[in-house]
PDB file of all heavy atoms in Angstrom:
ATOM      1  N   LEU A   1       0.765  -1.202   0.017  1.00 94.00           N
ATOM      2  CA  LEU A   1       0.028  -0.022   0.004  1.00 94.00           C
ATOM      3  C   LEU A   1       0.867   1.237   0.008  1.00 94.00           C
ATOM      4  O   LEU A   1       0.566   2.243  -0.717  1.00 94.00           O
ATOM      5  CB  LEU A   1      -0.930  -0.039   1.215  1.00 94.00           C
ATOM      6  CG  LEU A   1      -2.038  -1.056   1.208  1.00 94.00           C
ATOM      7  CD1 LEU A   1      -2.762  -1.084   2.560  1.00 94.00           C
ATOM      8  CD2 LEU A   1      -3.006  -0.817   0.071  1.00 94.00           C
ATOM      9  N   ILE A   2       1.918   1.235   0.785  1.00 94.00           N
ATOM     10  CA  ILE A   2       2.802   2.386   0.819  1.00 94.00           C
ATOM     11  C   ILE A   2       3.464   2.643  -0.512  1.00 94.00           C
ATOM     12  O   ILE A   2       3.560   3.803  -0.977  1.00 94.00           O
ATOM     13  CB  ILE A   2       3.860   2.235   1.973  1.00 94.00           C
ATOM     14  CG1 ILE A   2       3.172   2.249   3.332  1.00 94.00           C
ATOM     15  CG2 ILE A   2       4.946   3.337   1.856  1.00 94.00           C
ATOM     16  CD1 ILE A   2       4.044   1.817   4.451  1.00 94.00           C
ATOM     17  N   LEU A   3       3.898   1.598  -1.173  1.00 95.00           N
ATOM     18  CA  LEU A   3       4.493   1.731  -2.471  1.00 95.00           C
ATOM     19  C   LEU A   3       3.498   2.250  -3.512  1.00 95.00           C
ATOM     20  O   LEU A   3       3.840   2.993  -4.408  1.00 95.00           O
ATOM     21  CB  LEU A   3       5.096   0.421  -2.948  1.00 95.00           C
ATOM     22  CG  LEU A   3       6.386  -0.031  -2.222  1.00 95.00           C
ATOM     23  CD1 LEU A   3       6.855  -1.385  -2.722  1.00 95.00           C
ATOM     24  CD2 LEU A   3       7.542   0.980  -2.510  1.00 95.00           C
ATOM     25  N   GLN A   4       2.276   1.858  -3.372  1.00 95.00           N
ATOM     26  CA  GLN A   4       1.201   2.302  -4.253  1.00 95.00           C
ATOM     27  C   GLN A   4       1.035   3.837  -4.051  1.00 95.00           C
ATOM     28  O   GLN A   4       0.892   4.553  -5.020  1.00 95.00           O
ATOM     29  CB  GLN A   4      -0.061   1.580  -4.057  1.00 95.00           C
ATOM     30  CG  GLN A   4      -0.088   0.159  -4.553  1.00 95.00           C
ATOM     31  CD  GLN A   4      -1.321  -0.621  -4.198  1.00 95.00           C
ATOM     32  OE1 GLN A   4      -2.032  -0.294  -3.260  1.00 95.00           O
ATOM     33  NE2 GLN A   4      -1.596  -1.667  -4.940  1.00 95.00           N
ATOM     34  N   LEU A   5       1.053   4.226  -2.801  1.00 93.00           N
ATOM     35  CA  LEU A   5       0.957   5.687  -2.530  1.00 93.00           C
ATOM     36  C   LEU A   5       2.200   6.423  -3.062  1.00 93.00           C
ATOM     37  O   LEU A   5       2.064   7.508  -3.602  1.00 93.00           O
ATOM     38  CB  LEU A   5       0.881   5.940  -0.987  1.00 93.00           C
ATOM     39  CG  LEU A   5      -0.541   5.835  -0.332  1.00 93.00           C
ATOM     40  CD1 LEU A   5      -0.447   6.010   1.158  1.00 93.00           C
ATOM     41  CD2 LEU A   5      -1.412   6.937  -0.913  1.00 93.00           C
ATOM     42  N   CYS A   6       3.339   5.823  -2.917  1.00 94.00           N
ATOM     43  CA  CYS A   6       4.561   6.498  -3.345  1.00 94.00           C
ATOM     44  C   CYS A   6       4.540   6.712  -4.839  1.00 94.00           C
ATOM     45  O   CYS A   6       5.159   7.648  -5.373  1.00 94.00           O
ATOM     46  CB  CYS A   6       5.754   5.656  -2.949  1.00 94.00           C
ATOM     47  SG  CYS A   6       6.261   5.729  -1.236  1.00 94.00           S
ATOM     48  N   GLU A   7       3.879   5.845  -5.572  1.00 94.00           N
ATOM     49  CA  GLU A   7       3.801   5.988  -7.024  1.00 94.00           C
ATOM     50  C   GLU A   7       3.159   7.329  -7.410  1.00 94.00           C
ATOM     51  O   GLU A   7       3.395   7.827  -8.489  1.00 94.00           O
ATOM     52  CB  GLU A   7       3.043   4.832  -7.652  1.00 94.00           C
ATOM     53  CG  GLU A   7       3.819   3.526  -7.667  1.00 94.00           C
ATOM     54  CD  GLU A   7       3.010   2.337  -8.243  1.00 94.00           C
ATOM     55  OE1 GLU A   7       1.962   2.602  -8.755  1.00 94.00           O
ATOM     56  OE2 GLU A   7       3.551   1.226  -8.163  1.00 94.00           O
ATOM     57  N   GLN A   8       2.354   7.880  -6.524  1.00 91.00           N
ATOM     58  CA  GLN A   8       1.655   9.119  -6.870  1.00 91.00           C
ATOM     59  C   GLN A   8       2.616  10.258  -6.894  1.00 91.00           C
ATOM     60  O   GLN A   8       2.267  11.392  -7.389  1.00 91.00           O
ATOM     61  CB  GLN A   8       0.584   9.383  -5.779  1.00 91.00           C
ATOM     62  CG  GLN A   8      -0.658   8.540  -5.931  1.00 91.00           C
ATOM     63  CD  GLN A   8      -1.237   8.681  -7.337  1.00 91.00           C
ATOM     64  OE1 GLN A   8      -1.080   7.809  -8.167  1.00 91.00           O
ATOM     65  NE2 GLN A   8      -1.964   9.783  -7.549  1.00 91.00           N
ATOM     66  N   TRP A   9       3.882  10.065  -6.489  1.00 93.00           N
ATOM     67  CA  TRP A   9       4.923  11.140  -6.629  1.00 93.00           C
ATOM     68  C   TRP A   9       5.155  11.426  -8.118  1.00 93.00           C
ATOM     69  O   TRP A   9       5.675  12.460  -8.531  1.00 93.00           O
ATOM     70  CB  TRP A   9       6.173  10.760  -5.925  1.00 93.00           C
ATOM     71  CG  TRP A   9       7.101  11.883  -5.821  1.00 93.00           C
ATOM     72  CD1 TRP A   9       8.214  12.127  -6.560  1.00 93.00           C
ATOM     73  CD2 TRP A   9       7.054  13.024  -4.896  1.00 93.00           C
ATOM     74  NE1 TRP A   9       8.835  13.327  -6.213  1.00 93.00           N
ATOM     75  CE2 TRP A   9       8.129  13.858  -5.183  1.00 93.00           C
ATOM     76  CE3 TRP A   9       6.147  13.322  -3.849  1.00 93.00           C
ATOM     77  CZ2 TRP A   9       8.376  14.998  -4.462  1.00 93.00           C
ATOM     78  CZ3 TRP A   9       6.411  14.482  -3.111  1.00 93.00           C
ATOM     79  CH2 TRP A   9       7.527  15.299  -3.426  1.00 93.00           C
ATOM     80  N   GLY A  10       4.751  10.476  -8.959  1.00 94.00           N
ATOM     81  CA  GLY A  10       4.838  10.712 -10.390  1.00 94.00           C
ATOM     82  C   GLY A  10       4.102  11.906 -10.872  1.00 94.00           C
ATOM     83  O   GLY A  10       4.508  12.587 -11.810  1.00 94.00           O
ATOM     84  N   ALA A  11       3.053  12.278 -10.116  1.00 92.00           N
ATOM     85  CA  ALA A  11       2.293  13.473 -10.498  1.00 92.00           C
ATOM     86  C   ALA A  11       3.085  14.758 -10.123  1.00 92.00           C
ATOM     87  O   ALA A  11       2.798  15.849 -10.671  1.00 92.00           O
ATOM     88  CB  ALA A  11       0.898  13.459  -9.771  1.00 92.00           C
ATOM     89  N   PHE A  12       4.017  14.614  -9.223  1.00 91.00           N
ATOM     90  CA  PHE A  12       4.874  15.777  -8.867  1.00 91.00           C
ATOM     91  C   PHE A  12       5.930  16.024  -9.953  1.00 91.00           C
ATOM     92  O   PHE A  12       6.137  17.132 -10.361  1.00 91.00           O
ATOM     93  CB  PHE A  12       5.524  15.522  -7.506  1.00 91.00           C
ATOM     94  CG  PHE A  12       6.434  16.600  -7.039  1.00 91.00           C
ATOM     95  CD1 PHE A  12       5.955  17.639  -6.299  1.00 91.00           C
ATOM     96  CD2 PHE A  12       7.794  16.568  -7.368  1.00 91.00           C
ATOM     97  CE1 PHE A  12       6.822  18.704  -5.885  1.00 91.00           C
ATOM     98  CE2 PHE A  12       8.670  17.598  -6.967  1.00 91.00           C
ATOM     99  CZ  PHE A  12       8.142  18.641  -6.218  1.00 91.00           C
ATOM    100  N   VAL A  13       6.601  14.914 -10.390  1.00 92.00           N
ATOM    101  CA  VAL A  13       7.677  15.125 -11.343  1.00 92.00           C
ATOM    102  C   VAL A  13       7.200  15.032 -12.799  1.00 92.00           C
ATOM    103  O   VAL A  13       7.916  15.357 -13.695  1.00 92.00           O
ATOM    104  CB  VAL A  13       8.785  14.056 -11.136  1.00 92.00           C
ATOM    105  CG1 VAL A  13       9.475  14.275  -9.793  1.00 92.00           C
ATOM    106  CG2 VAL A  13       8.252  12.623 -11.237  1.00 92.00           C
ATOM    107  N   GLY A  14       5.937  14.606 -12.936  1.00 94.00           N
ATOM    108  CA  GLY A  14       5.380  14.551 -14.287  1.00 94.00           C
ATOM    109  C   GLY A  14       5.659  13.301 -15.074  1.00 94.00           C
ATOM    110  O   GLY A  14       5.404  13.261 -16.276  1.00 94.00           O
ATOM    111  N   SER A  15       6.237  12.306 -14.424  1.00 95.00           N
ATOM    112  CA  SER A  15       6.595  11.018 -15.084  1.00 95.00           C
ATOM    113  C   SER A  15       6.635   9.920 -13.992  1.00 95.00           C
ATOM    114  O   SER A  15       6.788  10.238 -12.791  1.00 95.00           O
ATOM    115  CB  SER A  15       7.929  11.082 -15.769  1.00 95.00           C
ATOM    116  OG  SER A  15       7.943  12.008 -16.877  1.00 95.00           O
ATOM    117  N   PRO A  16       6.534   8.679 -14.348  1.00 96.00           N
ATOM    118  CA  PRO A  16       6.553   7.551 -13.370  1.00 96.00           C
ATOM    119  C   PRO A  16       7.848   7.591 -12.592  1.00 96.00           C
ATOM    120  O   PRO A  16       8.914   7.858 -13.086  1.00 96.00           O
ATOM    121  CB  PRO A  16       6.415   6.322 -14.236  1.00 96.00           C
ATOM    122  CG  PRO A  16       5.777   6.760 -15.463  1.00 96.00           C
ATOM    123  CD  PRO A  16       6.252   8.135 -15.730  1.00 96.00           C
ATOM    124  N   ILE A  17       7.748   7.249 -11.245  1.00 96.00           N
ATOM    125  CA  ILE A  17       8.837   7.266 -10.393  1.00 96.00           C
ATOM    126  C   ILE A  17       9.945   6.217 -10.703  1.00 96.00           C
ATOM    127  O   ILE A  17      11.075   6.271 -10.360  1.00 96.00           O
ATOM    128  CB  ILE A  17       8.483   7.197  -8.930  1.00 96.00           C
ATOM    129  CG1 ILE A  17       7.731   5.860  -8.649  1.00 96.00           C
ATOM    130  CG2 ILE A  17       7.667   8.422  -8.477  1.00 96.00           C
ATOM    131  CD1 ILE A  17       7.451   5.702  -7.185  1.00 96.00           C
ATOM    132  N   ALA A  18       9.489   5.131 -11.367  1.00 97.00           N
ATOM    133  CA  ALA A  18      10.455   4.077 -11.788  1.00 97.00           C
ATOM    134  C   ALA A  18      11.414   4.623 -12.838  1.00 97.00           C
ATOM    135  O   ALA A  18      12.489   3.989 -13.081  1.00 97.00           O
ATOM    136  CB  ALA A  18       9.696   2.895 -12.355  1.00 97.00           C
ATOM    137  N   ARG A  19      11.111   5.753 -13.446  1.00 97.00           N
ATOM    138  CA  ARG A  19      12.025   6.346 -14.407  1.00 97.00           C
ATOM    139  C   ARG A  19      12.727   7.605 -13.852  1.00 97.00           C
ATOM    140  O   ARG A  19      13.438   8.290 -14.607  1.00 97.00           O
ATOM    141  CB  ARG A  19      11.272   6.708 -15.685  1.00 97.00           C
ATOM    142  CG  ARG A  19      10.657   5.484 -16.403  1.00 97.00           C
ATOM    143  CD  ARG A  19      10.577   5.685 -17.895  1.00 97.00           C
ATOM    144  NE  ARG A  19       9.617   6.763 -18.266  1.00 97.00           N
ATOM    145  CZ  ARG A  19       8.328   6.531 -18.507  1.00 97.00           C
ATOM    146  NH1 ARG A  19       7.851   5.266 -18.454  1.00 97.00           N
ATOM    147  NH2 ARG A  19       7.512   7.483 -18.834  1.00 97.00           N
ATOM    148  N   GLN A  20      12.538   7.921 -12.646  1.00 98.00           N
ATOM    149  CA  GLN A  20      13.113   9.108 -12.034  1.00 98.00           C
ATOM    150  C   GLN A  20      14.419   8.789 -11.304  1.00 98.00           C
ATOM    151  O   GLN A  20      14.560   7.866 -10.563  1.00 98.00           O
ATOM    152  CB  GLN A  20      12.116   9.800 -11.077  1.00 98.00           C
ATOM    153  CG  GLN A  20      10.924  10.354 -11.778  1.00 98.00           C
ATOM    154  CD  GLN A  20      11.275  11.234 -12.953  1.00 98.00           C
ATOM    155  OE1 GLN A  20      11.933  12.229 -12.763  1.00 98.00           O
ATOM    156  NE2 GLN A  20      10.746  10.857 -14.157  1.00 98.00           N
ATOM    157  N   SER A  21      15.351   9.684 -11.520  1.00 98.00           N
ATOM    158  CA  SER A  21      16.737   9.477 -10.976  1.00 98.00           C
ATOM    159  C   SER A  21      16.768   9.724  -9.477  1.00 98.00           C
ATOM    160  O   SER A  21      16.319  10.785  -8.976  1.00 98.00           O
ATOM    161  CB  SER A  21      17.682  10.503 -11.618  1.00 98.00           C
ATOM    162  OG  SER A  21      18.930  10.573 -10.982  1.00 98.00           O
ATOM    163  N   LEU A  22      17.314   8.738  -8.741  1.00 98.00           N
ATOM    164  CA  LEU A  22      17.616   8.929  -7.304  1.00 98.00           C
ATOM    165  C   LEU A  22      18.785   9.836  -7.104  1.00 98.00           C
ATOM    166  O   LEU A  22      18.833  10.681  -6.203  1.00 98.00           O
ATOM    167  CB  LEU A  22      17.833   7.621  -6.614  1.00 98.00           C
ATOM    168  CG  LEU A  22      18.123   7.683  -5.133  1.00 98.00           C
ATOM    169  CD1 LEU A  22      17.012   8.221  -4.346  1.00 98.00           C
ATOM    170  CD2 LEU A  22      18.531   6.293  -4.611  1.00 98.00           C
ATOM    171  N   LYS A  23      19.773   9.722  -7.991  1.00 98.00           N
ATOM    172  CA  LYS A  23      21.006  10.472  -7.942  1.00 98.00           C
ATOM    173  C   LYS A  23      20.706  11.998  -7.930  1.00 98.00           C
ATOM    174  O   LYS A  23      21.365  12.785  -7.187  1.00 98.00           O
ATOM    175  CB  LYS A  23      21.870  10.114  -9.130  1.00 98.00           C
ATOM    176  CG  LYS A  23      23.262  10.766  -9.180  1.00 98.00           C
ATOM    177  CD  LYS A  23      24.034  10.297 -10.351  1.00 98.00           C
ATOM    178  CE  LYS A  23      25.450  10.859 -10.413  1.00 98.00           C
ATOM    179  NZ  LYS A  23      26.273  10.251  -9.370  1.00 98.00           N
ATOM    180  N   PHE A  24      19.700  12.427  -8.690  1.00 97.00           N
ATOM    181  CA  PHE A  24      19.403  13.824  -8.805  1.00 97.00           C
ATOM    182  C   PHE A  24      17.988  14.149  -8.246  1.00 97.00           C
ATOM    183  O   PHE A  24      17.436  15.194  -8.595  1.00 97.00           O
ATOM    184  CB  PHE A  24      19.525  14.281 -10.214  1.00 97.00           C
ATOM    185  CG  PHE A  24      20.995  14.299 -10.686  1.00 97.00           C
ATOM    186  CD1 PHE A  24      21.437  13.326 -11.586  1.00 97.00           C
ATOM    187  CD2 PHE A  24      21.830  15.292 -10.236  1.00 97.00           C
ATOM    188  CE1 PHE A  24      22.754  13.277 -11.948  1.00 97.00           C
ATOM    189  CE2 PHE A  24      23.124  15.311 -10.632  1.00 97.00           C
ATOM    190  CZ  PHE A  24      23.627  14.294 -11.525  1.00 97.00           C
ATOM    191  N   PHE A  25      17.513  13.316  -7.349  1.00 97.00           N
ATOM    192  CA  PHE A  25      16.261  13.668  -6.717  1.00 97.00           C
ATOM    193  C   PHE A  25      16.336  14.962  -5.897  1.00 97.00           C
ATOM    194  O   PHE A  25      15.393  15.634  -5.696  1.00 97.00           O
ATOM    195  CB  PHE A  25      15.787  12.455  -5.784  1.00 97.00           C
ATOM    196  CG  PHE A  25      14.423  12.656  -5.210  1.00 97.00           C
ATOM    197  CD1 PHE A  25      13.333  12.927  -6.031  1.00 97.00           C
ATOM    198  CD2 PHE A  25      14.195  12.466  -3.851  1.00 97.00           C
ATOM    199  CE1 PHE A  25      12.066  13.107  -5.482  1.00 97.00           C
ATOM    200  CE2 PHE A  25      12.916  12.583  -3.286  1.00 97.00           C
ATOM    201  CZ  PHE A  25      11.860  12.929  -4.107  1.00 97.00           C
ATOM    202  N   TRP A  26      17.526  15.285  -5.397  1.00 95.00           N
ATOM    203  CA  TRP A  26      17.703  16.487  -4.607  1.00 95.00           C
ATOM    204  C   TRP A  26      17.360  17.735  -5.399  1.00 95.00           C
ATOM    205  O   TRP A  26      17.034  18.760  -4.817  1.00 95.00           O
ATOM    206  CB  TRP A  26      19.153  16.561  -4.077  1.00 95.00           C
ATOM    207  CG  TRP A  26      20.209  16.647  -5.052  1.00 95.00           C
ATOM    208  CD1 TRP A  26      20.858  15.587  -5.676  1.00 95.00           C
ATOM    209  CD2 TRP A  26      20.818  17.846  -5.624  1.00 95.00           C
ATOM    210  NE1 TRP A  26      21.820  16.055  -6.535  1.00 95.00           N
ATOM    211  CE2 TRP A  26      21.832  17.406  -6.505  1.00 95.00           C
ATOM    212  CE3 TRP A  26      20.632  19.199  -5.422  1.00 95.00           C
ATOM    213  CZ2 TRP A  26      22.660  18.292  -7.250  1.00 95.00           C
ATOM    214  CZ3 TRP A  26      21.404  20.069  -6.098  1.00 95.00           C
ATOM    215  CH2 TRP A  26      22.396  19.599  -7.028  1.00 95.00           C
ATOM    216  N   LEU A  27      17.399  17.662  -6.741  1.00 95.00           N
ATOM    217  CA  LEU A  27      17.032  18.764  -7.587  1.00 95.00           C
ATOM    218  C   LEU A  27      15.520  19.008  -7.561  1.00 95.00           C
ATOM    219  O   LEU A  27      15.080  20.074  -8.107  1.00 95.00           O
ATOM    220  CB  LEU A  27      17.502  18.512  -9.005  1.00 95.00           C
ATOM    221  CG  LEU A  27      18.989  18.656  -9.224  1.00 95.00           C
ATOM    222  CD1 LEU A  27      19.353  18.185 -10.701  1.00 95.00           C
ATOM    223  CD2 LEU A  27      19.516  20.065  -9.072  1.00 95.00           C
TER     224      LEU A  27
END
């Protein structure tokens, strides 16, 4: 359930979180 909620962060970055960089998440 928590991971399903975390997927909604995709609406913040505008793309799925599985494709978002952890290395540059600080940006």
Side-chain angles (χ1 to χ4, degrees):
L1 292 173
I2 292 167
L3 287 175
Q4 288 174 338
L5 274 176
C6 286
E7 288 178 7
Q8 286 303 102
W9 192 260
F12 179 88
V13 295
S15 295
I17 60 173
R19 297 209 294 268
Q20 293 308 301
S21 168
L22 177 64
K23 184 179 184 70
F24 291 105
F25 186 50
W26 61 272
L27 287 172

